[in-house]
Amino acid sequence: MEDEKYKNYIVDLISIIKKQAKEAKTEADHPKKGCDSFNNGYLMAYHTVIEFMKNQTEVFNIDQEDIGLADIEPERDLL
């Protein structure tokens, strides 16, 4: 049961991070005047975090599908 609690936490956290990353992508693609650099930097931070999370799944032999990371590719979706 304890393992399920941690898995649910990770799945929920990943869902929130992906949602925020997609919002950051939208803002970077359609910046308000004077916010270009900030929006691009903010988006790159999400790119880095998600890329790191995906890399760590390989290190720990975790199926990305199980934790909600399979449907996002930083290079494709966040650049």
Side-chain angles (χ1 to χ4, degrees), residues 10-40:
I10 290 168
V11 168
D12 192 51
L13 187 60
I14 288 170
S15 175
I16 292 166
I17 290 171
K18 287 189 317 186
K19 180 178 183 262
Q20 290 177 336
K22 290 174 184 175
E23 289 171 1
K25 171 71 170 149
T26 299
E27 290 175 13
D29 287 347
H30 307 286
K32 294 178 182 163
K33 187 173 182 172
C35 295
D36 299 13
S37 294
F38 174 82
N39 288 349
N40 287 330

Side-chain angles (χ1 to χ4, degrees), residues 25-71:
K25 171 71 170 149
T26 299
E27 290 175 13
D29 287 347
H30 307 286
K32 294 178 182 163
K33 187 173 182 172
C35 295
D36 299 13
S37 294
F38 174 82
N39 288 349
N40 287 330
Y42 192 66
L43 177 60
M44 289 310 300
Y46 278 109
H47 177 280
T48 301
V49 167
I50 292 173
E51 185 175 55
F52 180 75
M53 291 167 59
K54 289 178 77 72
N55 289 338
Q56 288 300 100
T57 62
E58 294 174 18
V59 172
F60 288 94
N61 197 28
I62 296 171
D63 185 347
Q64 292 181 16
E65 188 78 35
D66 289 345
I67 59 172
L69 272 176
D71 64 342

